[in-house]
């Protein structure tokens, strides 16, 4: 947690921001802050700056007051990430990474090689996804919560939703066959579609291509999804 | 496990390669191979190709025979990675990633902000490190086991060993202050030094600089070590 992200929903009185249990624990046990210490804070979906810490007392939870917010969060990546739903044990870390690296538009989509059971994972509950994304923001000192959607049906998304999303963007399909090497430091916004372990199937590839996406590859090495995400994002845009 | 890596040490008879328990389990439960099936195999530190599967019988463990090795493993990254020892819960995944991405020379080094207790982690036992690196090779369909060393003392390494390692290479220090943006697709071999959470301290930075390393940064976002590794490697060299 490299920044304490305050939520306007937790305002106590005018200018006082209540701390969540996680934040309180971090402040007490890792930062070991004392009353009056100035901490690095950000306002969720707002600016970054400092605030003064008031520890919990016997009748009141801890809070931050006297906020001074003076800098903008890091630039978002100008891209939309459409990712086949990863297996549950990779999902949390992948969501954290996606958020930490600055993706602001995420679709988790079904694909033939995504096991149906993955959609039952408790990590997919709204609160759990939000929590993972929040942890990514806290890691990267960002404040802008990503938008995300679950897409349990592939075809209606690619046929009906994708054209509008793809407008004025480059469409890149991470797919090893018939592919160009993944470009580096592209200057335009993009839609990046990242397949499941085992890749998109032929039907899916043809649908992506019909929609105007072009295949790109990352060389001979097969990498885990949780590794491919930072590799692709950092190739496409400079940090 | 995208390739079965056979070890010449496990040769049974001429041309027969014994399977480890992990490989046998993977072949039986994931690949679900039958007697006579042709599997994608590689020879540890050798070439890649195919071999024929012989399942275990009541008196004999499973093995691979009739090897045909015809292709080279993927190109190694032309770099030496010197990394402050990560916290144990990130170490396994980081080692796997490093190996999967093609690093062949790795030094895990002490730094002021590495907790002494990290050096006691069971993951640092030789067999455990080898196992993590092997899993990275299996993931990436590579066969070349990385060289690695543990460097529990910072200063003698940087003063005495580094100059020879750095010869004919660019020295890059991942460090956010007084730094250039990390270059992309460099054409030379490099030594990359990656700090601990919290970064190198001033003394360490001055020692790296004295040795001829230049600082590079990755922008405003603070990323976990396990994310920074794929980000840096994929910026420095194309896949």
């Amino acid at each position: 947690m490299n920044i304490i992200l305050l939520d306007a929903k937790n305002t106590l009185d005018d200018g006082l921001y209540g701390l969540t249990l996680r934040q309180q624990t971090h402040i007490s046990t890792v930062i070991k802050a004392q009353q009056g210490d100035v901490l690095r804070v950000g306002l969720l979906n707002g600016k970054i700056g400092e605030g003064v810490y008031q520890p919990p007392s016997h009748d009141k939870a801890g809070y931050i007051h006297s906020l001074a917010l003076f800098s903008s969060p890091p630039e978002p990546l100008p891209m939309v990430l459409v990712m086949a739903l990863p297996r549950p044990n990779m999902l949390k870390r992948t969501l954290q990474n996606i958020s930490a690296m600055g993706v602001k538009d995420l679709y988790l989509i079904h694909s033939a090689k995504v096991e149906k059971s993955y959609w039952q994972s408790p990590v997919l509950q709204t609160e759990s996804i939000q929590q993972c994304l929040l942890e990514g923001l806290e890691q990267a000192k960002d404040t802008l919560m990503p938008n995300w959607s679950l897409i349990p049906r592939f075809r209606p998304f690619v046929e009906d939703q994708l054209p509008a999303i793809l407008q004025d963007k480059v469409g890149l399909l991470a797919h090893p066959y018939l592919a160009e090497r993944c470009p580096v430091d592209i200057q335009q916004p993009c839609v990046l579609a990242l397949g499941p372990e085992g890749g998109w199937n032929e039907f899916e590839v043809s649908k992506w291509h019909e929609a105007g996406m072009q295949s790109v590859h990352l060389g001979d090495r097969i990498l885990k999804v949780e590794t491919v995400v930072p590799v692709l994002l950092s190739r496409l845009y400079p940090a």
Side-chain angles (χ1 to χ4, degrees), chain A:
Chain A
M1 200 182 290
N2 291 307
I3 192 170
I4 312 290
L5 276 181
L6 305 171
D7 190 337
K9 279 190 301 197
N10 296 337
T11 311
L12 302 174
D13 287 314
D14 205 28
L16 307 190
Y17 290 85
L19 294 164
T20 64
L21 183 60
R22 277 180 58 251
Q23 292 170 332
Q24 184 62 63
T25 304
H26 181 81
I27 291 171
S28 303
T29 62
V30 181
I31 305 181
K32 298 191 171 79
Q34 307 290 320
Q35 173 167 29
D37 282 357
V38 174
L39 302 182
R40 185 166 50 202
V41 302
L43 198 56
L44 196 63
N45 297 314
K47 289 199 154 191
I48 290 171
E50 297 172 342
V52 179
Y53 173 54
Q54 177 66 38
S57 56
H58 66 287
D59 62 346
K60 204 167 178 183
Y63 60 89
I64 300 286
H65 64 90
S66 308
L67 247 64
L69 301 174
F70 38 76
S71 59
S72 298
E75 283 292 309
L77 291 180
M79 67 178 292
V80 175
L81 178 60
V82 184
M83 185 167 63
L85 182 64
R87 61 171 65 232
N89 68 353
M90 289 197 180
L91 186 55
K92 275 195 175 189
R93 282 199 301 276
T94 303
L95 288 171
Q96 288 167 359
N97 271 342
I98 286 169
S99 173
M101 292 194 68
V103 171
K104 299 302 174 193
D105 289 287
L106 171 66
Y107 295 84
L108 293 173
I109 192 171
H110 189 64
S111 152
K113 290 180 193 157
V114 169
E115 288 182 28
K116 289 262 167 54
S117 65
Y118 294 180
W119 289 98
Q120 311 309 322
S121 163
V123 183
L124 284 185
Q125 288 169 10
T126 300
E127 281 190 9
S128 166
I129 292 183
Q130 292 282 117
Q131 179 64 31
C132 295
L133 297 172
L134 185 72
E135 289 171 17
L137 298 181
E138 291 170 345
Q139 170 68 36
K141 295 199 289 180
D142 194 354
T143 68
L144 303 176
M145 180 60 82
N147 300 308
W148 55 273
S149 307
L150 302 182
I151 310 288
R153 293 180 60 217
F154 176 85
R155 190 166 176 168
F157 175 82
V158 179
E159 290 184 349
D160 305 333
Q161 287 186 258
L162 183 61
I165 298 170
L166 199 48
Q167 202 151 25
D168 301 321
K169 300 187 190 72
V170 181
L172 301 173
L173 180 68
H175 184 68
Y177 305 106
L178 298 173
E180 300 285 316
R181 177 164 280 187
C182 179
V184 64
D185 289 0
I186 63 175
Q187 306 296 318
Q188 316 97 306
C190 80
V191 174
L192 173 67
L194 182 56
E197 291 175 60
W200 306 104
N201 73 11
E202 270 185 49
F203 169 77
E204 291 163 346
V205 170
S206 73
K207 295 308 284 183
W208 288 117
H209 284 171
E210 273 173 34
M213 309 274 286
Q214 62 187 87
S215 296
V216 296
H217 75 82
L218 281 174
D220 293 339
R221 297 177 181 278
I222 302 177
L223 300 174
K224 287 186 193 173
V225 167
E226 61 185 88
T227 314
V228 166
V229 168
V231 165
L232 276 170
L233 302 188
S234 63
R235 292 289 298 169
L236 291 173
Y237 299 104

